Amino acid sequence: MTLNQAQQRNVGTCRSDDKREIQGGNNSKNESSKAEHRDGVIRSSDEGAVMAVERRDHPIQPDLEQQPCNSGMKAPAKAKSYEISKHEVYNAWKRVRANRGAAGIDNESIANFEVKLKENLYKLWNRMSSGTYFPKAVRRVEIPKKDGSKRPLGIPTVYDRIAQEVVRARMEPALESCFHEDSYGYRPGKSAIEALEVCRRRNWKSDWVLDVDIQKFFDTIDHELLLKAVRKHCSEKWMVLYIERWLKAPVQYPDGKEEVLGMGTPQGGVISPLLANLYLHYAFDKWMEREYPSIKFERYADDVVIHCGSLLESQKIKESLEQRFEECKLSLHPDKTKVVYCRDLRRQINYPNVSYTFLGYTFKPRKARSRWSEDNFTSFLPAVSKEAKKQLLSKLREKQTRRWITSTIEEVAESLNPMLRGWFNYFSQFYRSALMQIANNIDHRLVKWARSKYGWFKLKAWEWLKLLKQQQPKLFAHWELLKFSKDRIGRAV
């Protein structure tokens, strides 16, 4: 073999190897999205160079970008299959860290992930941008619901939560311009309080309400219909690819058993609220806009309130909605979906259902006092629900403050205030006088704490608490927030 022939052979070999290397990373068309292939083979040589500390079953191959061919020519630089910046991954990590959260099936916490932050984020960026990222199984946990049943939650790994946040941050701005103005859940610039305020005002104008409860919504989302909506709004193929992989990722139960559910999106996933909003945007929002353009509603994720002008209209919408949800592989809860009459001073029809609960507030006829006079009247108003009160009292019982006899009152306040401040801030927006019972319950617990710590009689302990309120009125969150008990309409009775 001549020297020229050998050089030509070496050049051809180098180009062939380089071509295979690039093709290995660009496999979005032919690569399977099945979850059992998660954490797939690293196909980009520059990841291997950085992640050399990882254990491998074979030696790390030389980087063809940096190694010259025998001909003296350098192989062309390889481009990533998908354009994802490292800055996006880092920003996603900061948001995941701020939200904290439990570990997934790998038991890796936020703190543990941060130990090798640079290496972990680079590995995630490299795999996402080359198409070789596969999610791990989702850890299944169950939390009790207020009706006694259990709500399943799916907890992805920290690694997968960051990946989901990258996609969510890309998708959300494009979807925001499409979403309905009366969709309030998990959207920037909108809140549950805003939904409640709009709902309250519309209750005064419409006499009837259809309280909608979607049965096991997050667990019954149809993957094909959801992916159809995703493809319509996502021009980036890698986003569709990874969303499909997340949907098909199995869940792992506490006993270690894994199962591919075939439908639903896990509550607890970073991208799940956005996907749920997209699904109901077409299953409900656009349908209502098309079929009942004059009917107003508020939707917060899967909690929906529809305002109707008559009983007949509300029943008709309920029947139509049942058919619509059946087409979208959803179903209304037969017991919790109900028609409600907004009874007040001027609306006096005798109807069995005159109350409903929306976002922790119960709407029903309540006494109020006019701003312009001292007269009392009945209005259809929201106030903290019984279930919300029970949940707070249950958490307070778990604290067992009576036994904190080695703590000072300032330390007790420091421990309780984060929970009290969040709860009272939310539920003091409407009809504050309904919170006085809970506030008195907390004060009773503080009196019991003082009696246990100092050995006082009840009367002395109450006198001490009264003096403490005067000297430090902002010591406990509920003291500060309930200084005024005026409702937004008028003074609650």
Side-chain angles (χ1 to χ4, degrees), residues 266-477:
Q267 296 188 61
V270 173
I271 202 169
S272 292
L274 183 62
L275 295 179
N277 268 339
L278 179 60
Y279 196 88
L280 283 178
H281 173 71
Y282 287 103
F284 178 77
D285 299 352
K286 296 293 287 184
W287 177 81
M288 283 290 295
E289 195 177 61
R290 182 176 64 253
E291 300 295 329
Y292 300 96
S294 63
I295 300 298
K296 302 296 184 180
F297 67 88
E298 298 84 39
R299 182 177 66 80
Y300 192 96
D302 59 333
D303 290 336
V304 184
V305 172
I306 304 174
H307 302 273
C308 307
S310 66
L311 176 60
L312 183 63
E313 185 178 51
S314 59
Q315 291 173 339
K316 180 182 177 181
I317 293 177
K318 181 181 178 182
E319 294 174 0
S320 300
L321 191 57
E322 287 175 346
Q323 296 176 3
R324 172 60 178 174
F325 277 0
E326 186 176 353
E327 295 171 359
C328 299
K329 312 297 177 63
L330 300 173
S331 60
L332 296 178
H333 196 290
D335 300 324
K336 296 181 180 179
T337 300
K338 59 184 179 179
V339 176
V340 178
Y341 180 60
C342 303
R343 182 185 297 169
D344 60 14
L345 180 64
R346 64 178 178 82
R347 298 177 288 195
Q348 295 291 323
I349 295 177
N350 188 19
Y351 190 76
N353 295 331
V354 292
S355 68
Y356 66 93
T357 299
F358 181 51
L359 301 178
Y361 278 84
T362 296
F363 289 77
K364 72 175 192 177
R366 300 180 188 276
K367 293 292 183 181
R369 187 170 296 167
S370 173
R371 287 176 177 174
W372 302 278
S373 67
E374 294 298 317
D375 296 334
N376 295 338
F377 65 98
T378 301
S379 184
F380 198 80
L381 296 172
V384 57
S385 65
K386 291 181 179 179
E387 292 79 7
K389 291 180 181 180
K390 289 179 181 179
Q391 289 177 1
L392 179 64
L393 292 177
S394 177
K395 291 179 180 179
L396 288 173
R397 281 193 294 269
E398 292 174 0
K399 291 284 187 179
Q400 296 183 331
T401 53
R402 187 174 183 176
R403 298 183 180 182
W404 298 358
I405 57 176
T406 59
S407 302
T408 64
I409 190 62
E410 288 77 16
E411 291 171 340
V412 173
E414 184 179 359
S415 178
L416 294 181
N417 274 342
M419 176 177 63
L420 297 180
R421 185 172 291 109
W423 195 89
F424 278 92
N425 264 329
Y426 182 75
F427 288 109
S428 64
Q429 299 298 315
F430 306 98
Y431 215 84
R432 290 185 180 183
S433 62
L435 303 179
M436 296 308 297
Q437 180 184 3
I438 294 293
N440 290 335
N441 186 288
I442 298 171
D443 287 350
H444 274 278
R445 294 175 186 274
L446 295 177
V447 166
K448 289 180 179 179
W449 171 85
R451 294 182 65 190
S452 297
K453 182 177 179 66
Y454 301 112
W456 292 338
F457 290 109
K458 183 184 293 186
L459 181 60
K460 182 174 178 60
W462 275 110
E463 291 176 349
W464 164 82
L465 187 66
K466 182 179 179 180
L467 182 61
L468 184 66
K469 280 186 179 182
Q470 295 173 354
Q471 294 175 345
Q472 302 184 59
K474 297 182 179 181
L475 180 60
F476 285 91

Side-chain angles (χ1 to χ4, degrees), residues 219-262:
D219 299 331
T220 56
I221 291 177
D222 184 78
H223 288 174
E224 293 304 318
L225 291 177
L226 176 57
L227 288 172
K228 183 179 179 181
V230 170
R231 292 187 186 100
K232 179 176 180 179
H233 293 277
C234 291
S235 58
E236 303 279 358
K237 293 183 178 180
W238 63 271
M239 295 169 67
V240 181
L241 175 69
Y242 293 146
I243 289 173
E244 185 174 2
R245 289 178 183 175
W246 288 321
L247 293 175
K248 294 182 178 181
V251 297
Q252 185 181 90
Y253 297 99
D255 60 0
K257 178 184 175 182
E258 292 190 3
E259 180 184 6
V260 178
L261 299 178

Side-chain angles (χ1 to χ4, degrees), residues 81-100:
S81 302
Y82 307 120
E83 294 184 3
I84 305 171
S85 70
K86 296 176 182 177
H87 189 67
E88 287 181 282
V89 177
Y90 182 68
N91 284 339
W93 149 251
K94 290 194 294 185
R95 287 188 287 267
V96 169
R97 179 180 58 182
N99 292 332
R100 296 179 292 181

